[in-house]
Amino acid sequence: MSLKRIDLLICCGSGCVSAGALKVKEQFHNVLKTKGLTNEINIIETGCMGPCDYGPVIVIYPEGVFYKKVTPDDVEEIVNEHFLKGRPVKRLMLQDEEDKTFLTQKEIPFYQKQVKVALANCGYIDPESIEEYIATGGYEALGTVLTTLTPQQTIDIIKKSGLRGRGGGGFPTYLKWQMVHDNPVEEKYFICNGDEGDPGAFMDRSLLEGDPHRVLEGMMIAAYATGAQNGYFYIRAEYPLAIKRIKMAIEKAKETGLLGKNIFGSEFSFEAEVRTGAGAFVCGEETALIQSIEGQRGNPTPKPPYPAVQGLYKKPTVVNNVETLGNIATIILKGADWFASMGTETSKGTKVFALTGDIRNTGLVEVPMGITLRELIFDVGGGMIGDHKFKAVQLGGPSGGCLTTQHLDVPIDYESLKERGAMMGSGGVIVMNEEKCMVNVAKFFMDFCVDESCGKCSPCKIGLKQMLEILKRIDSGYGKEGDIEELQHLGETISKISLCGLGQTAPNPVLSTIRYFRDEYEAHIRDKSCANKVCPDLMHFEIDKDKCIGCSLCARKCPVSCISGSREEKYTINQLSCIKCGTCMDVCPVKAISKIPGMHPEVKAMREAEELQKQNQEE
Amino acid sequence: MIKEICQKYAPRKDNLIQILHEIQDQDPQHYISPEAVDTVAEYLDIPVNHIYGVLTFYTMYSTKPRGKNIIRLCESPPCYIKGSDNMLRKLKVLLGINIGETTKDGLFTLEFTSCLGVCGNAPVMMINDDVYGDLTEEKVEEIIERIRGRR
Amino acid sequence: MKTLADLKKIREKAQEEMKLRGGNTRIKIVVGMGTSGIAMGAREVMKTFLEEIANRNLTDVLVTQTGEKGLSSLEPVVDIIEEGKPKVTYGNMTPEKVKKVVVEHIVNGRIVSDYVVATGN
Ligand SMILES: Cc1cc2nc3c(=O)[nH]c(=O)nc-3n(C[C@H](O)[C@H](O)[C@H](O)COP(=O)(O)O)c2cc1C
Ligand code: FES
């Protein structure tokens, strides 16, 4: 039973700690003790609350009163006034000062470096209303193109803009269009790739959900330029809302007369349909996607022939990514030069990134190409959560590469990332802090790729599996000299000879982590130690006898009953049977149990003995 | 009923994936029965083998009966980094089943999914068509209890 | 619709409506209803706004939806747009916070700064 009536939350994120939060906390403990209030007030340390520039900040519940810039000298007043008399201390509250300065823009840095092109309307208009899209200038680009430009002129604008595919490959968009445009075959198709399989990427979903008409308009302009009469939106089944919204957009456009026969009184007629995936990563690959639309298993087919020559139903087909199409209407309206003025020599315009992982502002951001990783992660993304340090960033999905602190000032464009072993991919940015074990991360990504391999070509099917086996071996303490070299050799071979992009890029995470974190691999193999205490076989739990109060909770909760002892003797873990589930650590009321890096000597000795026995038997 | 679903679509092979989706969604046990496969094969005039080939290729189809509520926990890296394995442990304890299994009362089936595109709120799970983000063990428990209560 | 002029007509009409929908709308509440928002409870937030506004008989308030702004870590996100004032964006909304925003901001015109994540456009 608790008598606590007040929860006092003290932010102990790095910002507040650096501003003196710990001293404030100490002072609260002191003051509450002298006033005999310890029983009534719960002091809780929290992670970063976000408004770090107001640190140290505290929040008092049940009212949720927020105090900023609290110093140890303020503590007594808070306790006397707020806790005892129930009168919040006005001068420390955000409101006072805010009311005056509020209306003069409290822009959060999250927005500052962003330039919204594809995402311009996301979060501002009602996606289910075609009128709102039109109010922001929607369908004007289509009207202009259909009434004043030839298909070739349209392609030339896109060429001049320098737009490259946002679906991963970075292929110049105009070139695909030109190939299909030049093809004399009458029947042509246009596909919008909304499969978005890369874990950690969700810009296509947001765009389809938040501004579906923009994507539809982009597709129609592209279809006019290439001569396609039918379009398909291929969207993964995991995105029910995106499917609903794009279907709705198609309906509304039909009702309004923007889709169908002789659009804007021109010769151009167009129909669009939605197709859904059914849970297969490889279907994002364009040839596999085409198979899937035709009602087959989604196996990639060898290229050439490229879809531009022989695609859907064996007809010339353009496959473009959602975000790529999201840029088209704006390029037409604002001009190729405007678009090309942003970005770097080879990569023009803006790119949407999805920030995830241990970063403060997770979410979607759209920034000009050529921004540095540092700006992206620390300025736009707000830096790391809590006290943690930046360790690595995985770019380009499960088959991208890991980059580290030394790359923070690299400008982000297709080429510079590739040079360093990563890739743009679809724009997923997974940020990791110093607690992550890179061997474990590499294994995790490899596991994903093995799962998703369609199994059609053997380098990808067998080779990746071999790599995974080696990684599992290293991770479970059976790594041996030469493993690193073998991983590198396998990885390089698989990259060269796989059939599709999945196999060609899947070794990237392993190769790049070996390149930048070789010491971690070596520690796993030689010292049988995972410094970050992530790999279960390469760390162990220990009970600190000085802290243990002998309550026996851990022993009772242990699922394999490997903890024994008594109140007097305290408790110990039988290392040989421990399964490293961590339950004991979770339940210990006095935090006497901790993780220690490295395999426990007893386990090591046992494994060596087993090894010896095996050798003897073989002889 | 399966016939009716089929007839909403033109009898063209490229409608196969959509038809299968709808059959599975409408089935109270969220699966595609052998009888359904036969009906579809007849309607689209394609070999049964072809349909099984498609069913086994795509992870979202099931040929086994499943629970009323399908829980799909995201197993992709951003969610993993944010602790999805703890959610898995919690779900297994709460439901008493492993991945791929259905509870005895037929209420829940537990599955993995790849990224749901809600990574900004990792870890994430989807129950039927609803997505739940920023999961904690407490939240998971609350959600499951709420669905159980609705029974 | 057959010409660009037709499109322009629709646009002008829609722009007029987006300006807080004619004479009797004072405030527009825009709830982010993308998957992330919904996953974090945007439906409840939307529902609470509608209920609170109905309960209080507020006839000059309009509730609509939009897609994601990209602020995943702050979902559910709500914009309050009032003619002639900078837009106010609230983050991490819950039904409880909604009630407070309706009372303080919508009814009494006092911005609830604790929940504010951004102002302006
Ligand atoms: C394994 C694999 C998965 C892919 N997944 C996607 C995807 O989810 N979305 C996408 O747009 N492109 C994906 N691609 C790239 C497509 O094959 C294709 O290049 C792209 O859709 C072309 O559009 P763009 O030129 O507009 O980028 C993938 C490629 C590979 C090899
Ligand atoms: S990784 Fe889990 S939703 Fe994207």
Side-chain angles (χ1 to χ4, degrees):
Chain A
M1 244 276 293
S2 166
L3 298 168
K4 311 262 193 235
R5 60 184 176 93
I6 288 176
D7 277 345
L8 165 61
L9 274 58
I10 304 185
C11 174
C12 290
S14 53
C16 288
V17 167
S18 67
L22 297 178
K23 288 219 183 69
V24 172
K25 188 185 76 176
E26 210 169 286
Q27 184 65 9
F28 267 112
H29 277 293
N30 293 340
V31 174
L32 292 179
K33 203 160 164 195
T34 46
K35 299 204 183 278
L37 291 171
T38 338
N39 271 335
E40 294 175 38
I41 287 137
N42 215 358
I43 300 188
I44 301 159
E45 289 175 34
T46 73
C48 177
M49 298 181 185
C52 308
D53 35 351
Y54 291 119
V57 300
I58 66 176
V59 179
I60 293 163
Y61 282 98
E63 309 98 303
V65 172
F66 183 91
Y67 290 137
K68 65 176 169 38
K69 297 199 172 149
V70 179
T71 65
D73 296 337
D74 299 327
V75 169
E76 182 120 7
E77 189 183 350
I78 296 176
V79 172
N80 280 337
E81 286 293 307
H82 191 154
F83 293 1
L84 291 176
K85 302 188 191 131
R87 290 199 295 247
V89 184
K90 277 262 155 56
R91 87 188 151 80
L92 294 171
M93 285 164 69
L94 198 56
Q95 209 132 8
D96 271 354
E97 194 181 274
E98 282 309 303
D99 265 354
K100 276 177 258 133
T101 56
F102 206 58
L103 302 178
T104 62
Q105 293 271 313
K106 185 178 143 204
E107 271 297 355
I108 47 177
F110 184 75
Y111 286 125
Q112 273 165 6
K113 294 202 172 167
Q114 296 201 49
V115 180
K116 305 241 179 181
V117 181
L119 295 185
N121 292 337
C122 272
Y124 295 100
I125 63 167
D126 179 348
E128 298 185 0
S129 153
I130 190 171
E131 288 80 14
E132 293 205 1
Y133 179 65
I134 292 176
T136 65
Y139 290 109
E140 193 179 330
L142 178 70
T144 313
V145 167
L146 292 186
T147 52
T148 63
L149 298 178
T150 64
Q152 187 58 51
Q153 284 170 328
T154 313
I155 296 177
D156 289 342
I157 294 178
I158 299 303
K159 177 175 181 181
K160 202 161 156 223
S161 76
L163 177 67
R164 294 170 66 173
R166 302 294 193 241
F171 194 77
T173 303
Y174 88 90
L175 212 60
K176 272 191 198 177
W177 292 13
Q178 189 73 58
M179 280 161 77
V180 174
H181 170 269
D182 294 348
N183 199 316
V185 177
E186 278 282 313
E187 197 182 332
K188 296 172 186 175
Y189 291 95
F190 204 99
I191 298 175
C192 169
N193 187 344
D195 196 54
E196 194 161 62
D198 282 7
F202 47 96
M203 55 286 290
D204 295 349
R205 173 181 64 68
S206 289
L207 190 50
L208 287 167
E209 284 175 2
D211 199 5
H213 285 285
R214 169 182 296 271
V215 187
L216 180 59
E217 186 183 2
M219 181 193 265
M220 284 158 71
I221 294 171
Y224 170 71
T226 53
Q229 306 87 3
N230 285 290
Y232 289 94
F233 288 89
Y234 185 87
I235 301 173
R236 57 201 298 251
E238 286 88 344
Y239 289 175
L241 192 59
I243 295 170
K244 180 182 140 204
R245 293 250 167 95
I246 193 81
K247 279 189 174 160
M248 208 173 225
I250 293 173
E251 283 310 311
K252 288 257 173 87
K254 269 191 198 150
E255 281 168 24
T256 323
L258 285 163
L259 197 61
K261 292 242 173 306
N262 303 102
I263 304 167
F264 279 107
S266 72
E267 294 286 287
F268 177 66
S269 303
F270 190 69
E271 296 292 340
E273 278 181 55
V274 177
R275 291 293 148 126
T276 58
F281 174 71
V282 76
C283 283
E285 201 280 332
E286 51 194 11
T287 60
L289 187 155
I290 288 171
Q291 295 285 315
S292 181
I293 294 186
E294 290 179 3
Q296 322 260 11
R297 292 165 69 94
N299 284 324
T301 53
K303 290 191 273 194
Y306 286 92
V309 180
Q310 233 182 65
L312 190 62
Y313 309 122
K314 303 256 182 304
K315 303 292 183 215
T317 304
V318 185
V319 181
N320 266 152
N321 165 264
V322 173
E323 189 190 332
T324 313
L325 293 178
N327 282 302
I328 305 293
T330 315
I331 293 177
I332 301 286
L333 286 183
K334 293 206 182 173
D337 293 328
W338 166 80
F339 190 79
S341 70
M342 294 180 285
T344 66
E345 194 55 40
T346 58
S347 311
K348 300 295 185 195
T350 57
K351 173 83 190 91
V352 182
F353 292 97
L355 306 178
T356 60
D358 303 317
I359 190 169
R360 189 169 292 143
N361 302 332
T362 55
L364 280 189
V365 302
E366 183 167 359
V367 290
M369 292 269 191
I371 192 174
T372 64
L373 277 171
R374 188 185 304 281
E375 289 172 284
L376 185 62
I377 296 170
F378 290 91
D379 297 345
V380 182
M384 309 298 289
I385 295 178
D387 267 339
H388 293 292
K389 280 210 270 302
F390 169 81
K391 177 167 184 178
V393 54
Q394 165 86 11
L395 290 166
S399 49
C402 276
L403 297 182
T404 96
T405 34
Q406 74 192 81
H407 304 110
L408 280 175
D409 294 309
V410 169
I412 303 178
D413 70 17
Y414 291 98
E415 278 67 30
S416 70
L417 291 180
K418 209 168 206 167
E419 251 166 58
R420 290 163 181 89
M423 59 183 202
M424 183 80 77
S426 49
V429 177
I430 309 176
V431 180
M432 291 173 268
N433 65 23
E434 82 285 1
E435 288 182 334
K436 300 292 173 303
C437 163
M438 298 320 283
V439 181
N440 183 273
V441 167
K443 187 189 83 172
F444 193 84
F445 284 112
M446 186 51 74
D447 208 9
F448 179 90
C449 292
V450 168
D451 260 6
E452 298 299 340
S453 167
C454 70
K456 207 166 170 221
C457 72
S458 19
C460 177
K461 181 178 165 192
I462 301 169
L464 292 183
K465 223 175 242 156
Q466 271 175 356
M467 289 182 76
L468 181 62
E469 286 310 315
I470 299 174
L471 287 166
K472 281 189 174 158
R473 194 161 77 207
I474 295 176
D475 172 270
S476 59
Y478 292 102
K480 51 182 199 284
E481 290 301 321
D483 275 353
I484 299 182
E485 290 70 21
E486 198 178 341
L487 280 174
Q488 283 176 315
H489 175 71
L490 274 169
E492 279 154 20
T493 318
I494 296 168
S495 304
K496 268 194 221 113
I497 60 178
S498 290
L499 183 64
C500 85
L502 177 61
Q504 287 156 13
T505 52
N508 276 344
V510 178
L511 295 177
S512 64
T513 46
I514 293 182
R515 186 157 152 199
Y516 301 121
F517 298 96
R518 200 186 175 99
D519 52 329
E520 283 188 34
Y521 280 85
E522 283 169 354
H524 279 63
I525 295 172
R526 290 196 198 127
D527 315 334
K528 308 281 178 240
S529 171
C530 175
N532 290 304
K533 304 169 280 194
V534 174
C535 303
D537 281 305
L538 302 181
M539 56 79 133
H540 59 279
F541 287 89
E542 219 147 70
I543 303 179
D544 183 343
K545 292 242 159 124
D546 295 333
K547 284 196 196 150
C548 177
I549 51 171
C551 71
S552 84
L553 196 57
C554 54
R556 281 183 280 137
K557 291 277 175 186
C558 176
V560 293
S561 309
C562 75
I563 305 181
S564 56
S566 64
R567 187 165 289 271
E568 296 71 36
E569 287 183 4
K570 308 293 167 69
Y571 283 78
T572 37
I573 301 175
N574 176 356
Q575 297 289 345
L576 295 181
S577 3
C578 173
I579 55 165
K580 319 276 170 74
C581 68
T583 308
C584 53
M585 196 168 97
D586 291 345
V587 300
C588 178
V590 293
K591 296 199 166 46
I593 304 178
S594 49
K595 290 179 178 175
I596 313 281
M599 194 183 272
H600 193 273
E602 282 176 27
V603 180
K604 214 171 182 173
M606 180 185 75
R607 287 200 181 181
E608 274 160 16
E610 277 172 5
E611 195 71 6
L612 221 65
Q613 207 178 5
K614 224 173 32 212
Q615 274 171 14
N616 284 345
Q617 269 169 3
E618 274 164 20
E619 279 163 22
Chain B
M1 185 189 92
I2 290 171
K3 257 249 146 68
E4 282 154 23
I5 295 177
C6 287
Q7 274 156 2
K8 285 200 231 162
Y9 297 84
R12 288 201 324 251
K13 187 172 152 196
D14 58 335
N15 280 326
L16 175 62
I17 290 183
Q18 313 305 314
I19 294 177
L20 292 177
H21 266 307
E22 189 158 346
I23 292 177
Q24 175 160 300
D25 288 348
Q26 306 260 328
D27 190 288
Q29 290 181 300
H30 298 292
Y31 84 118
I32 295 165
S33 64
E35 299 78 55
V37 172
D38 291 341
T39 315
V40 176
E42 200 179 304
Y43 181 72
L44 295 180
D45 193 21
I46 48 175
V48 170
N49 277 353
H50 178 86
I51 300 187
Y52 279 108
V54 168
L55 284 178
T56 49
F57 183 84
Y58 297 99
T59 55
M60 284 183 100
Y61 295 129
S62 174
T63 49
K64 280 192 312 197
R66 290 186 292 178
K68 195 166 154 218
N69 299 289
I70 315 253
I71 304 177
R72 296 211 226 107
L73 181 67
C74 173
E75 60 165 344
S76 289
C79 281
Y80 176 73
I81 281 175
K82 287 299 206 52
S84 59
D85 45 344
N86 293 335
M87 303 309 126
L88 177 61
R89 205 171 57 188
K90 184 77 192 177
L91 280 168
K92 282 183 177 173
V93 171
L94 280 173
L95 303 172
I97 51 172
N98 269 316
I99 287 290
E101 295 177 355
T102 303
T103 51
K104 280 211 189 72
D105 57 7
L107 210 49
F108 295 101
T109 298
L110 183 57
E111 290 180 356
F112 274 140
T113 172
S114 59
C115 176
L116 294 170
V118 197
C119 334
N121 305 97
V124 173
M125 69 177 175
M126 188 167 179
I127 302 185
N128 307 328
D129 269 357
D130 293 327
V131 178
Y132 300 86
D134 274 358
L135 294 177
T136 57
E137 297 191 26
E138 293 74 46
K139 255 193 177 170
V140 169
E141 180 154 4
E142 197 189 299
I143 293 165
I144 298 293
E145 286 310 319
R146 207 167 52 223
I147 296 179
R148 278 193 175 138
R150 246 194 261 154
R151 192 152 25 152
Chain C
M1 160 169 4
K2 281 290 160 224
T3 61
L4 271 174
D6 294 342
L7 183 73
K8 201 165 158 222
K9 254 183 253 150
I10 301 185
R11 179 165 71 234
E12 277 161 6
K13 188 161 154 266
Q15 275 170 342
E16 198 47 49
E17 289 196 359
M18 277 178 79
K19 261 211 258 141
L20 303 180
R21 324 252 152 173
N24 60 358
T25 303
R26 182 175 55 90
I27 288 196
K28 184 160 128 183
I29 300 171
V30 187
V31 184
M33 295 281 273
T35 299
S36 297
I38 294 173
M40 301 305 295
R43 267 201 209 110
E44 289 300 307
V45 166
M46 170 76 103
K47 216 174 93 206
T48 317
F49 266 120
L50 293 173
E51 282 167 8
E52 289 293 303
I53 284 162
N55 287 345
R56 288 189 163 65
N57 261 331
L58 301 176
T59 51
D60 53 354
V61 181
L62 184 87
V63 185
T64 73
Q65 60 171 347
T66 185
E68 261 158 59
K69 275 191 223 308
L71 294 159
S72 301
S73 50
L74 299 172
E75 292 285 0
V77 175
V78 173
D79 287 334
I80 309 284
I81 303 169
E82 216 172 330
E83 186 80 74
K85 290 188 189 170
K87 181 177 68 187
V88 176
T89 306
Y90 290 112
N92 293 126
M93 292 304 282
T94 61
E96 281 65 48
K97 290 186 181 172
V98 167
K99 287 181 190 151
K100 185 149 178 202
V101 167
V102 171
V103 177
E104 292 286 318
H105 190 158
I106 309 293
V107 177
N108 291 316
R110 286 196 299 264
I111 294 169
V112 189
S113 43
D114 282 3
Y115 311 154
V116 171
V117 293
T119 61
N121 293 304

